[in-house]
Amino acid sequence: MERLRKITSIFLILVGFTCLFSCSSQKQYRRISIDEYRSKMKAGWLGQMAGVGWGAPTEFDYNGMIIPAKDVPVWKPEMINQHYQDDIYVEMTFLKTLEEYGFDVSIRQAGIDFANSRYMLWHANKNGRQNLRSGIAPPYSGYPNYNRHADDIDYQIEADYSGLISPALPQTVIELGEKFGRLMNYGDGLYGGMFVGGMYASAFFETDIHKIIEDGLNCIPAESQYAEAIRDVIRWHKENPKDWKKTWHLIENKYNLNPNYRRYSCSGTDPSFNIDAKINGAYIVTGLLYGNGDIDSTIIISMRCGQDSDCNPSNAGGILATSLGLENLPDKFKTGIDDTTKFSYTAYNFPALINVCEKLSREAVIRSGGKIEKKSGTEYYVIPKQVPTPIPLEQCWMPVEISEDVHFTEQEMAGILYRTRKPEEFVDVWQVSGPFSKKGVKGIDLIDMQFSPENNDKFSDWKKLPVGESGLRPEEIDFDKYFGEENCAVYLRTNVWSDENQKVIFELGSDDGIKVWVNGHLVHRNNAERAHEPGQDFVNVQFEKGWNNILMKITQGVGGWACSLVITDLDHNALKDLKYKL
């Protein structure tokens, strides 16, 4: 009998250990069907597009103030298609790099790919890309030593991809931030993206917004000012759970008006413009907390906080939409999707975007030690629990000292097609005529409307353009400063000597549309609405031996108005010592 009791006791102990081991194993893994993953990931992209499309008409029109309810745009179906927003298209470059080279791609290759992107950029993104194109390699392209926008919002607005391909994998999000966020940001500017990516990663399994936010916080240094801003919003929400405007005023007083929290703000302490990652991250969280799980309310509150009022609701809307899943999104965010247009200067339309994210998520799960199981015809991700380890604290106003060479090698530079040009490489000898306009016709509709310089060989109303004077730099000939008009067009002309018949490349930049003729033949037309950046368009041109006439037409809607031209050989080396005459 005693022996039986001992055997029974041993058996119970073994059963207990088995149960304990089994339970522990279950706690270490999470399971999600790939169908559910895909639903949530697709919803995340739609939430982003809805947020940025809805908020776009208000962007930076309301700074240091709450957007009045009456000024919130009315939702329109076409707002869901956002193929030309930097909040969306920059991420595609990172995804393409991962698709081509895998998760172990070097940061320097990531930098080369970003340097070769063609879309419009601003602030840290623009400065970072210019650094890369001029030979400053990452991570230094994003260091405050070289990038005065390093604390700006940029990686925060484009880090959504990192969580959308890393379900419940916050350490993967951090690793991606170290690779892609470093191209343009540092310190709080980098932490903003890791925080956003961490929230997306959490949202595949969590429905509690507070837990999602805490999971994001776990991805960044707790002692950073960025983490402080998020903790402040959480605390103020607890103190004022029904009054988001009171929380907004607390954010305003500390993170916009207090210079101690704007120590590396690109606009200094100017309260009328603040693109710092911290305050805009606080607005994301304000929308998430006070939106109470309703995606319309989340987007609108985040938008009404002002400043970058399309990027912030884009992040907030995408995170909540990921948690909700596609089936729980309002129909207005799921209908009328343009499945054919590619996102600006990228390889992906919307279906291709969804497919590449699924492909990369499979790699992320396997790479993290997880696996893919198939049961009854359904595939599941089995995802190991990751405990994130934030990177060490760094601050833009106290950057680390750099002792090593910060430049790309010559071999690496050979892979960068679009270089930052020197001022002397731009054509700076021009005559100008105009501006020309037609009553009631907008700038975008003037591109093919003929005015005298293009249809009258005897037209003589030309004057020399004083490039180098009056703010007219050859790398950005600013017609807005020179003329200051809207909904019109201007013409430029020059003549350039070629010693032989040869093929050359025109590297063109324009704000807005552009048409180019060489020796009377139309060689380029791009009816764009965009800000100017050198080298936006590349055009192959045939020069004849002798003088070659160049005529350019630049249209203007509203806002900026500029152009530039660099003439290169077929290897994109700027032609030197060119002779011009007017």
Side-chain angles (χ1 to χ4, degrees), residues 416-433:
I416 297 178
L417 301 178
Y418 311 109
R419 310 283 180 84
T420 297
R421 295 295 183 184
K422 300 175 182 177
E424 59 267 26
E425 294 178 329
F426 290 83
V427 178
D428 61 357
V429 179
W430 294 104
Q431 287 181 316
V432 63
S433 184

Side-chain angles (χ1 to χ4, degrees), residues 294-309:
D294 178 83
I295 194 163
D296 279 21
S297 297
T298 296
I299 288 173
I300 289 171
I301 291 172
S302 192
M303 178 202 312
R304 290 187 64 192
C305 288
Q307 300 288 356
D308 205 340
S309 53

